[in-house]
């Protein structure tokens, strides 16, 4: 049975990992539905193509409420992703957080919260292997 996955990645916090987000989304879409596939759009800019902030908030929180799982790539710090993770925790949606420790240190608000499943990784192969394992268990 296909799951609804909410993928979270930095938009206004920086688009340096947009190509990686695109790869993650494509990998997840092999078996499941990614509600936020636009996060991997390489042409998406920090102004999100003129959408009003309230509309973005309403759409994203609606998607979160229908998600079976949240996958977040948190190497690029993002206030929005942090909010999405807290929102998901509030609604008891399982959350898996990925990051490259050689490039960033996660906030203690994430690492100190036992609700979140934290997954450090080094490269695409490592990340893909971890994602495959998680998706088999869910």
């Amino acid at each position: 049975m296909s799951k609804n996955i909410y993928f979270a990645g930095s938009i206004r916090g920086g688009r340096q990992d947009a190509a990686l987000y695109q790869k993650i989304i494509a990998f997840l879409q092999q078996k499941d539905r990614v509600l936020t596939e636009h996060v991997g759009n390489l042409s998406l800019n920090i102004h999100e193509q003129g959408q009003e902030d309230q509309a973005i908030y309403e759409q994203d929180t609606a998607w979160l409420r229908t998600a079976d799982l949240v996958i977040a790539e948190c190497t690029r710090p993002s206030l929005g992703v942090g909010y999405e993770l807290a929102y998901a925790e509030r609604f008891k949606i399982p959350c898996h957080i990925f990051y490259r420790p050689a490039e960033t240190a996660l906030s203690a608000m994430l690492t100190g919260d036992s609700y979140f499943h934290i997954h450090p990784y080094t490269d695409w192969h490592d990340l893909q292997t971890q994602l495959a394992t998680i998706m088999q268990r869910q």
Side-chain angles (χ1 to χ4, degrees):
M1 186 168 142
S2 181
K3 293 178 285 304
N4 285 330
I5 298 174
Y6 188 100
F7 175 77
S10 178
I11 295 176
R12 291 185 182 177
R15 297 294 292 158
Q16 299 93 323
D17 282 338
L20 174 64
Y21 302 161
Q22 188 177 55
K23 287 171 74 171
I24 294 168
I25 290 164
F27 181 82
L28 296 171
Q29 286 177 324
Q30 291 176 30
K31 290 189 176 182
D32 296 303
R33 180 175 178 228
V34 177
L35 302 169
T36 53
E37 66 183 348
H38 68 281
V39 177
N41 182 340
L42 297 178
S43 64
L44 184 66
N45 63 39
I46 62 170
H47 301 295
E48 300 175 77
Q49 301 172 357
Q51 287 189 346
E52 295 291 326
D53 288 351
Q54 184 175 353
I56 293 168
Y57 170 83
E58 289 172 1
Q59 179 62 76
D60 287 0
T61 54
W63 279 330
L64 276 164
R65 288 188 302 275
T66 65
D68 301 304
L69 179 68
V70 171
I71 300 289
E73 206 300 330
C74 292
T75 301
R76 304 288 166 220
S78 167
L79 293 171
V81 172
Y83 185 92
E84 291 163 338
L85 289 166
Y87 195 94
E89 180 181 18
R90 160 72 175 84
F91 286 94
K92 310 259 188 282
I93 304 162
C95 296
H96 292 270
I97 298 170
F98 293 86
Y99 77 107
R100 296 183 304 278
E103 296 179 44
T104 194
L106 287 182
S107 168
M109 293 301 291
L110 300 178
T111 60
D113 186 340
S114 63
Y115 183 81
F116 299 118
H117 304 277
I118 309 290
H119 307 277
Y121 71 97
T122 54
D123 57 26
W124 170 244
H125 177 72
D126 184 16
L127 174 58
Q128 189 177 19
T129 301
Q130 291 188 54
L131 282 169
T133 300
I134 290 165
M135 301 317 289
Q136 288 174 351
R137 287 190 221 148
Q138 296 293 320

